[in-house]
Amino acid sequence: KGLGLLHSHAFADTDEKRELRREECLAVKQNKAGYILNFVSRLFTETNRKQLAKEVKDLSGLCLATTSEGIIAAQNGMAQRPSHIGLLEEIAVPVLFVYGKSDPRISLEIGLSQAMLPACSQVLLIDDVAHMSFIEKEGYVKQIIRQFVENCYL
């Protein structure tokens, strides 16, 4: 009935992004804990890192419990994924795109360019949010998703 993309995109990785993922895999092999603590904190805006210190710590703990092999496999999987832009061009259901205006992982340019492709798109751009809107603005994002899903069933 609908499709939602939260801090995600349908493009294949660029060569530069694949290289960044290779570097991240090397960092995981060399110092998994250091990599994770640095990586997770950057998924939040600086203000939200402070205000949501417990949530950042909890998420870091979950990530630390993930094996190095699992993290590396996830990075490699994202590096190898094909483009799904054709799906967005042809999809016959509404698509929700959610982005933080301060997201270091997904640029607004990439997000907005793909949001133009479906016949019916809803775009949510959130101030003072990085890559974790469902934690940084939890209640608000839940409300938007709930409304989107309800509208898909009208």
Side-chain angles (χ1 to χ4, degrees):
K1 297 280 185 173
L3 173 66
L5 295 171
L6 276 72
H7 306 280
S8 187
H9 63 80
F11 295 105
D13 275 357
T14 63
D15 289 340
E16 292 141 10
K17 187 68 172 183
R18 280 191 289 277
E19 179 58 31
L20 175 63
R21 292 191 194 283
R22 281 191 285 277
E23 291 171 8
E24 290 176 337
C25 289
L26 182 60
V28 169
K29 289 177 186 176
Q30 292 175 342
N31 180 5
K32 179 180 122 179
Y35 167 79
I36 286 173
L37 295 175
N38 182 46
F39 179 83
V40 169
S41 69
R42 288 181 293 139
L43 298 176
F44 296 82
T45 64
E46 187 174 339
T47 300
N48 288 334
R49 265 181 241 144
K50 294 173 186 170
Q51 292 176 349
L52 300 169
K54 181 191 179 313
E55 289 83 353
V56 173
K57 182 180 177 185
D58 290 348
L59 182 58
S60 296
L62 288 171
C63 293
L64 286 167
T66 304
T67 65
S68 295
E69 293 78 14
I71 296 167
I72 291 167
Q75 289 291 339
N76 287 330
M78 286 184 279
Q80 295 171 16
R81 70 179 164 209
S83 172
H84 291 285
I85 292 302
L87 171 71
L88 292 179
E89 292 171 333
E90 298 171 8
I91 197 163
V93 297
V95 182
L96 171 66
F97 298 90
V98 177
Y99 299 108
K101 289 184 179 179
S102 300
D103 192 337
R105 304 295 292 185
I106 308 264
S107 72
L108 289 180
E109 178 181 270
I110 287 174
L112 293 175
S113 68
Q114 72 174 359
M116 298 299 293
L117 300 175
C120 180
S121 293
Q122 180 178 339
V123 179
L124 177 62
L125 304 175
I126 311 172
D127 278 334
D128 302 319
V129 165
H131 197 71
M132 306 299 282
S133 66
F134 52 93
I135 297 173
E136 292 175 285
K137 300 285 185 187
E138 179 183 4
Y140 179 60
V141 172
K142 279 183 180 178
Q143 176 186 352
I144 295 297
I145 292 171
R146 189 173 293 117
Q147 289 171 350
F148 177 77
V149 170
E150 288 171 359
N151 287 338
C152 287
Y153 281 88
L154 292 179

